[in-house]
Amino acid sequence: LGALFAAGVKGRVQQDAWEGKRLLRLACEQDEPDAGFHLGQILLQEGDSDGVSRTLTACAKGHPRALFVAAEMYRDGQYQLAKDVPESLRYTKWAAHQGEPQALNNLGNALINGLGVVRDEAKAVRLFRHAAKLEASEGMLNYGLALLRGIGGVKVDYQEALEWAQKSAALGNTLAHQQLPMFFNAAKSPNPPARSLPKSQEEIGRLSGKALRDLLRSEGVDCSDCVEKSELSAKAAVHFLGAREP
Protein backbone atom coordinates (compact mmCIF):
# COMPACT_ATOMS: atom_id res chain seq x y z
CA LEU A 1 0.00 0.00 0.00
CA GLY A 2 2.83 2.37 0.84
CA ALA A 3 4.46 1.71 -2.55
CA LEU A 4 1.12 2.41 -4.29
CA PHE A 5 0.72 5.75 -2.52
CA ALA A 6 4.34 6.69 -3.21
CA ALA A 7 4.09 5.99 -6.95
CA GLY A 8 0.37 6.60 -7.50
CA VAL A 9 -1.84 4.65 -9.89
CA LYS A 10 -3.52 6.68 -12.61
CA GLY A 11 -7.27 6.77 -12.12
CA ARG A 12 -7.11 4.63 -8.98
CA VAL A 13 -4.67 5.88 -6.33
CA GLN A 14 -3.67 9.52 -6.02
CA GLN A 15 0.07 9.94 -5.49
CA ASP A 16 1.00 10.94 -1.95
CA ALA A 17 4.74 10.52 -1.41
CA TRP A 18 4.65 11.54 2.26
CA GLU A 19 1.91 9.01 3.13
CA GLY A 20 3.61 6.37 1.05
CA LYS A 21 6.88 6.75 2.93
CA ARG A 22 5.06 6.79 6.26
CA LEU A 23 3.35 3.47 5.48
CA LEU A 24 6.57 1.97 4.18
CA ARG A 25 8.44 2.97 7.36
CA LEU A 26 5.72 1.31 9.45
CA ALA A 27 6.13 -1.86 7.39
CA CYS A 28 9.90 -1.67 7.84
CA GLU A 29 9.37 -1.68 11.59
CA GLN A 30 7.60 -5.02 11.06
CA ASP A 31 10.80 -6.32 9.43
CA GLU A 32 9.27 -6.41 5.93
CA PRO A 33 12.12 -6.54 3.34
CA ASP A 34 9.93 -5.56 0.38
CA ALA A 35 8.94 -2.35 2.19
CA GLY A 36 12.58 -1.64 2.97
CA PHE A 37 13.51 -2.06 -0.69
CA HIS A 38 10.75 0.26 -1.95
CA LEU A 39 11.53 2.86 0.71
CA GLY A 40 15.20 2.66 -0.20
CA GLN A 41 14.42 3.29 -3.87
CA ILE A 42 12.27 6.32 -3.06
CA LEU A 43 14.94 7.79 -0.80
CA LEU A 44 17.65 7.23 -3.41
CA GLN A 45 15.56 9.05 -6.00
CA GLU A 46 15.23 11.94 -3.56
CA GLY A 47 18.99 12.03 -2.98
CA ASP A 48 18.71 10.77 0.59
CA SER A 49 21.76 8.68 1.51
CA ASP A 50 19.60 6.62 3.90
CA GLY A 51 18.33 4.91 0.76
CA VAL A 52 21.63 3.02 0.49
CA SER A 53 21.37 1.59 4.01
CA ARG A 54 17.71 0.69 3.46
CA THR A 55 18.62 -1.13 0.25
CA LEU A 56 21.52 -3.00 1.85
CA THR A 57 19.30 -3.97 4.80
CA ALA A 58 16.81 -5.48 2.34
CA CYS A 59 19.75 -7.30 0.72
CA ALA A 60 20.71 -8.84 4.06
CA LYS A 61 17.21 -10.34 4.15
CA GLY A 62 17.63 -11.84 0.68
CA HIS A 63 15.38 -9.48 -1.29
CA PRO A 64 16.15 -10.38 -4.96
CA ARG A 65 15.61 -6.96 -6.52
CA ALA A 66 17.51 -5.20 -3.73
CA LEU A 67 20.44 -7.54 -4.35
CA PHE A 68 20.41 -6.67 -8.05
CA VAL A 69 20.27 -2.93 -7.31
CA ALA A 70 23.17 -3.25 -4.84
CA ALA A 71 25.20 -5.06 -7.50
CA GLU A 72 24.60 -2.17 -9.90
CA MET A 73 25.53 0.40 -7.24
CA TYR A 74 28.84 -1.30 -6.47
CA ARG A 75 29.61 -1.92 -10.15
CA ASP A 76 29.22 1.74 -11.09
CA GLY A 77 30.16 3.36 -7.77
CA GLN A 78 26.75 5.00 -7.37
CA TYR A 79 25.37 6.98 -4.41
CA GLN A 80 28.82 7.68 -2.95
CA LEU A 81 29.68 3.99 -2.72
CA ALA A 82 33.21 3.13 -3.81
CA LYS A 83 33.35 1.20 -7.07
CA ASP A 84 33.90 -2.44 -6.11
CA VAL A 85 33.65 -5.00 -8.92
CA PRO A 86 34.19 -8.11 -6.72
CA GLU A 87 31.46 -6.92 -4.35
CA SER A 88 29.20 -6.24 -7.33
CA LEU A 89 29.80 -9.78 -8.56
CA ARG A 90 29.02 -11.18 -5.10
CA TYR A 91 25.66 -9.42 -5.06
CA THR A 92 24.99 -10.44 -8.67
CA LYS A 93 25.54 -14.11 -7.79
CA TRP A 94 23.34 -13.79 -4.72
CA ALA A 95 20.55 -12.14 -6.72
CA ALA A 96 20.84 -14.75 -9.49
CA HIS A 97 20.54 -17.56 -6.95
CA GLN A 98 17.32 -15.87 -5.79
CA GLY A 99 16.02 -16.03 -9.38
CA GLU A 100 16.29 -12.31 -10.23
CA PRO A 101 16.01 -12.24 -14.07
CA GLN A 102 18.40 -9.38 -14.83
CA ALA A 103 20.97 -10.74 -12.38
CA LEU A 104 20.80 -14.13 -14.13
CA ASN A 105 21.59 -12.39 -17.41
CA ASN A 106 24.39 -10.31 -15.89
CA LEU A 107 25.99 -13.37 -14.30
CA GLY A 108 25.78 -15.06 -17.69
CA ASN A 109 27.65 -12.11 -19.22
CA ALA A 110 30.34 -12.42 -16.54
CA LEU A 111 30.73 -16.15 -17.23
CA ILE A 112 30.84 -15.86 -21.01
CA ASN A 113 33.54 -13.17 -20.81
CA GLY A 114 35.43 -14.55 -17.79
CA LEU A 115 34.93 -11.35 -15.79
CA GLY A 116 35.91 -12.19 -12.22
CA VAL A 117 34.93 -15.84 -12.72
CA VAL A 118 36.21 -18.85 -14.64
CA ARG A 119 34.92 -18.61 -18.20
CA ASP A 120 32.12 -21.09 -18.84
CA GLU A 121 30.08 -20.55 -22.00
CA ALA A 122 27.77 -23.52 -21.44
CA LYS A 123 26.74 -22.31 -17.97
CA ALA A 124 26.35 -18.76 -19.30
CA VAL A 125 23.92 -19.95 -21.97
CA ARG A 126 21.89 -21.84 -19.36
CA LEU A 127 21.62 -18.61 -17.36
CA PHE A 128 20.61 -16.65 -20.47
CA ARG A 129 17.89 -19.22 -21.16
CA HIS A 130 16.61 -18.99 -17.59
CA ALA A 131 16.60 -15.18 -17.74
CA ALA A 132 14.82 -15.27 -21.10
CA LYS A 133 12.07 -17.51 -19.77
CA LEU A 134 11.62 -15.04 -16.90
CA GLU A 135 11.08 -12.31 -19.55
CA ALA A 136 14.32 -10.37 -19.13
CA SER A 137 14.79 -8.70 -22.52
CA GLU A 138 18.60 -8.82 -22.31
CA GLY A 139 18.43 -12.54 -21.52
CA MET A 140 16.14 -13.08 -24.51
CA LEU A 141 18.60 -11.39 -26.86
CA ASN A 142 21.64 -13.17 -25.43
CA TYR A 143 19.94 -16.56 -25.61
CA GLY A 144 18.90 -15.77 -29.18
CA LEU A 145 22.53 -14.97 -30.04
CA ALA A 146 23.64 -18.24 -28.45
CA LEU A 147 21.16 -20.17 -30.61
CA LEU A 148 22.26 -18.22 -33.68
CA ARG A 149 25.97 -18.94 -33.19
CA GLY A 150 25.99 -22.21 -31.29
CA ILE A 151 27.66 -20.62 -28.28
CA GLY A 152 28.43 -22.90 -25.36
CA GLY A 153 27.77 -25.99 -27.46
CA VAL A 154 24.05 -25.22 -27.79
CA LYS A 155 22.42 -26.61 -30.96
CA VAL A 156 22.07 -23.91 -33.63
CA ASP A 157 18.42 -23.05 -34.31
CA TYR A 158 17.90 -20.00 -36.51
CA GLN A 159 14.11 -19.93 -36.17
CA GLU A 160 14.10 -20.10 -32.38
CA ALA A 161 16.89 -17.52 -32.28
CA LEU A 162 14.72 -15.14 -34.33
CA GLU A 163 11.73 -15.72 -32.02
CA TRP A 164 13.74 -14.74 -28.94
CA ALA A 165 15.21 -11.68 -30.66
CA GLN A 166 11.70 -10.57 -31.68
CA LYS A 167 10.43 -11.00 -28.13
CA SER A 168 13.33 -8.94 -26.82
CA ALA A 169 12.70 -6.17 -29.36
CA ALA A 170 8.98 -6.17 -28.49
CA LEU A 171 9.94 -5.41 -24.88
CA GLY A 172 11.82 -2.32 -26.03
CA ASN A 173 15.36 -3.67 -26.23
CA THR A 174 17.04 -1.27 -28.68
CA LEU A 175 20.00 -3.55 -29.43
CA ALA A 176 17.65 -6.44 -30.24
CA HIS A 177 15.70 -4.18 -32.61
CA GLN A 178 18.94 -3.14 -34.35
CA GLN A 179 20.06 -6.75 -34.77
CA LEU A 180 16.74 -8.13 -36.07
CA PRO A 181 17.87 -7.98 -39.74
CA MET A 182 20.76 -10.31 -38.91
CA PHE A 183 18.35 -12.79 -37.30
CA PHE A 184 15.90 -12.56 -40.22
CA ASN A 185 18.68 -13.23 -42.73
CA ALA A 186 19.90 -16.26 -40.79
CA ALA A 187 16.35 -17.64 -40.50
CA LYS A 188 16.14 -17.84 -44.29
CA SER A 189 18.72 -20.64 -44.23
CA PRO A 190 18.25 -24.21 -42.96
CA ASN A 191 19.83 -25.08 -39.63
CA PRO A 192 23.28 -26.70 -39.90
CA PRO A 193 23.37 -30.45 -39.24
CA ALA A 194 23.68 -31.44 -35.60
CA ARG A 195 27.09 -32.55 -34.41
CA SER A 196 27.36 -36.33 -34.35
CA LEU A 197 28.19 -37.90 -31.00
CA PRO A 198 31.08 -40.33 -30.58
CA LYS A 199 30.03 -43.98 -30.57
CA SER A 200 33.32 -45.65 -29.71
CA GLN A 201 36.51 -45.11 -27.72
CA GLU A 202 38.33 -44.70 -31.03
CA GLU A 203 36.07 -41.80 -32.08
CA ILE A 204 36.60 -40.15 -28.68
CA GLY A 205 40.36 -40.50 -29.15
CA ARG A 206 40.22 -38.63 -32.48
CA LEU A 207 38.80 -35.49 -30.82
CA SER A 208 41.07 -32.76 -29.53
CA GLY A 209 40.98 -31.70 -25.89
CA LYS A 210 39.08 -28.52 -26.78
CA ALA A 211 36.57 -30.42 -28.92
CA LEU A 212 35.97 -32.89 -26.09
CA ARG A 213 35.48 -30.10 -23.55
CA ASP A 214 33.05 -28.25 -25.83
CA LEU A 215 31.14 -31.44 -26.58
CA LEU A 216 30.82 -32.38 -22.91
CA ARG A 217 29.70 -28.85 -22.01
CA SER A 218 27.07 -28.93 -24.76
CA GLU A 219 25.71 -32.06 -23.09
CA GLY A 220 25.57 -30.30 -19.74
CA VAL A 221 28.47 -32.30 -18.30
CA ASP A 222 30.64 -30.48 -15.76
CA CYS A 223 34.26 -30.93 -16.80
CA SER A 224 35.78 -28.12 -14.76
CA ASP A 225 37.81 -30.71 -12.81
CA CYS A 226 39.46 -32.04 -15.99
CA VAL A 227 42.91 -30.73 -16.92
CA GLU A 228 44.42 -33.35 -19.22
CA LYS A 229 42.87 -34.74 -22.41
CA SER A 230 42.96 -38.20 -20.84
CA GLU A 231 40.62 -36.98 -18.09
CA LEU A 232 38.24 -35.50 -20.66
CA SER A 233 38.35 -38.73 -22.66
CA ALA A 234 37.49 -40.77 -19.56
CA LYS A 235 34.56 -38.50 -18.75
CA ALA A 236 33.36 -38.67 -22.38
CA ALA A 237 33.54 -42.47 -22.27
CA VAL A 238 31.38 -42.52 -19.16
CA HIS A 239 28.82 -40.12 -20.63
CA PHE A 240 28.60 -41.34 -24.24
CA LEU A 241 29.56 -45.00 -23.98
CA GLY A 242 28.32 -45.87 -20.50
CA ALA A 243 31.78 -46.82 -19.32
CA ARG A 244 32.40 -47.04 -15.59
CA GLU A 245 34.09 -44.25 -13.69
CA PRO A 246 37.85 -44.93 -13.43
Side-chain angles (χ1 to χ4, degrees):
L1 184 59
L4 290 176
F5 271 113
V9 180
K10 188 176 180 180
R12 299 182 63 185
V13 180
Q14 184 176 353
Q15 186 177 18
D16 187 336
W18 186 90
E19 179 65 8
K21 286 189 287 186
R22 186 185 73 83
L23 291 171
L24 286 171
R25 283 193 170 92
L26 287 173
C28 287
E29 291 174 4
Q30 301 300 315
D31 207 28
E32 175 52 58
D34 199 45
F37 167 69
H38 285 294
L39 180 58
Q41 294 305 286
I42 293 169
L43 294 173
L44 288 174
Q45 290 170 9
E46 294 177 348
D48 188 333
S49 60
D50 188 42
V52 174
S53 61
R54 294 282 185 177
T55 301
L56 295 179
T57 298
C59 287
K61 296 171 184 174
H63 190 281
R65 192 63 187 172
L67 291 164
F68 170 75
V69 169
E72 298 285 285
M73 292 193 299
Y74 278 111
R75 185 192 68 188
D76 300 329
Q78 298 173 350
Y79 306 112
Q80 299 183 339
L81 284 175
K83 187 174 180 179
D84 189 332
V85 175
E87 189 72 351
S88 173
L89 182 59
R90 185 176 77 86
Y91 276 104
T92 298
K93 288 179 178 179
W94 193 357
H97 291 157
Q98 297 293 327
E100 210 292 320
Q102 287 181 270
L104 287 163
N105 176 75
N106 288 1
L107 183 55
N109 277 327
L111 284 163
I112 208 165
N113 293 298
L115 300 175
V117 292
V118 176
R119 186 173 179 178
D120 189 333
E121 291 187 348
K123 186 174 181 180
V125 172
R126 290 197 296 272
L127 290 170
F128 291 150
R129 180 170 60 241
H130 193 178
K133 290 182 177 180
L134 292 173
E135 301 188 347
S137 67
E138 296 89 347
M140 291 174 176
L141 176 58
N142 283 329
Y143 185 50
L145 289 169
L147 289 166
L148 184 73
R149 299 166 179 166
I151 297 172
V154 71
K155 181 180 177 182
V156 173
D157 189 325
Y158 297 140
Q159 292 297 331
E160 187 179 355
L162 173 60
E163 290 173 9
W164 283 113
Q166 287 176 311
K167 289 178 180 178
S168 179
L171 289 176
N173 189 307
T174 304
L175 184 57
H177 185 75
Q178 293 172 347
Q179 294 188 341
L180 276 179
M182 175 181 68
F183 284 93
F184 274 112
N185 287 334
K188 295 175 183 176
S189 305
N191 293 331
R195 180 189 295 180
S196 61
L197 301 177
K199 298 180 177 61
S200 68
Q201 190 67 54
E202 184 180 359
E203 289 182 9
I204 290 174
R206 292 197 200 108
L207 297 173
S208 67
K210 182 179 185 304
L212 279 169
R213 190 177 298 276
D214 289 344
L215 185 60
L216 286 166
R217 284 176 173 173
S218 71
E219 292 284 302
V221 178
D222 180 14
C223 50
S224 59
D225 59 334
C226 298
V227 178
E228 303 294 334
K229 181 185 174 182
S230 58
E231 296 171 317
L232 291 165
S233 296
K235 187 153 287 194
V238 171
H239 182 74
F240 296 112
L241 309 179
R244 291 184 178 180
E245 291 277 4

